[in-house]
Amino acid sequence: MRNFKNFGLGFLLGAAAGAVFAFLPDENGKSTREYLKEDAEDFKESHKELQDGLSRAQEAGSRLASELPAAEQMVSDLNTDVERFKQEADKEITRLQAKIDRLSSELNQDLNESEN
């Protein structure tokens, strides 16, 4: 029991000495309390910046969500226009191929007639 009292007394004296030394100024004249105050202010500033960033991200997400239907409609309209253009191009390609075939046939006939 006596050892426990000595240990307890030593622990309390060590804690008290640590507390005293913790609040003594360092070589720059700043106390631990001042360092803790600066750290707390830095933490508050970082927290505010994080909240501001989060707020901006939420606003951007809301804008994106509100503009997404319009963007989807634009993509849908573009796909429709591309499909319509493809169909018209296919018709024109078929028409031109038929014309090429007809001209080629006429040219072959003319060449055959000129050889005879």
Side-chain angles (χ1 to χ4, degrees):
M1 188 73 161
R2 184 175 173 173
N3 287 337
F4 183 71
K5 285 183 182 178
N6 288 338
F7 175 77
L9 181 61
F11 181 77
L12 289 175
L13 287 175
V20 169
F21 284 114
F23 290 102
L24 290 177
D26 65 2
E27 59 269 356
N28 297 328
K30 291 176 95 174
S31 69
T32 302
R33 184 179 211 172
E34 290 171 331
Y35 284 117
L36 291 174
K37 184 179 178 184
E38 288 174 2
D39 287 346
E41 289 172 2
D42 289 345
F43 178 76
K44 283 181 187 177
E45 185 177 321
S46 295
H47 183 260
K48 182 172 179 358
E49 289 174 3
L50 181 62
Q51 282 183 322
D52 291 345
L54 181 59
S55 177
R56 286 192 305 271
Q58 287 173 333
E59 289 172 13
S62 294
R63 277 195 317 270
L64 179 61
S66 69
E67 293 174 6
L68 187 59
E72 287 174 337
Q73 184 61 48
M74 287 174 60
V75 169
S76 176
D77 292 347
L78 183 60
N79 283 336
T80 301
D81 291 346
V82 167
E83 187 61 34
R84 191 175 313 133
F85 176 77
K86 184 178 178 259
Q87 289 172 355
E88 290 175 16
D90 286 344
K91 287 178 187 176
E92 186 66 17
I93 289 170
T94 301
R95 188 186 69 77
L96 290 173
Q97 186 63 48
K99 188 172 185 178
I100 290 170
D101 291 344
R102 184 178 49 83
L103 290 173
S104 177
S105 176
E106 289 175 3
L107 181 62
N108 284 335
Q109 280 180 350
D110 287 346
L111 288 174
N112 287 337
E113 288 176 4
S114 66
E115 288 178 358
N116 291 335

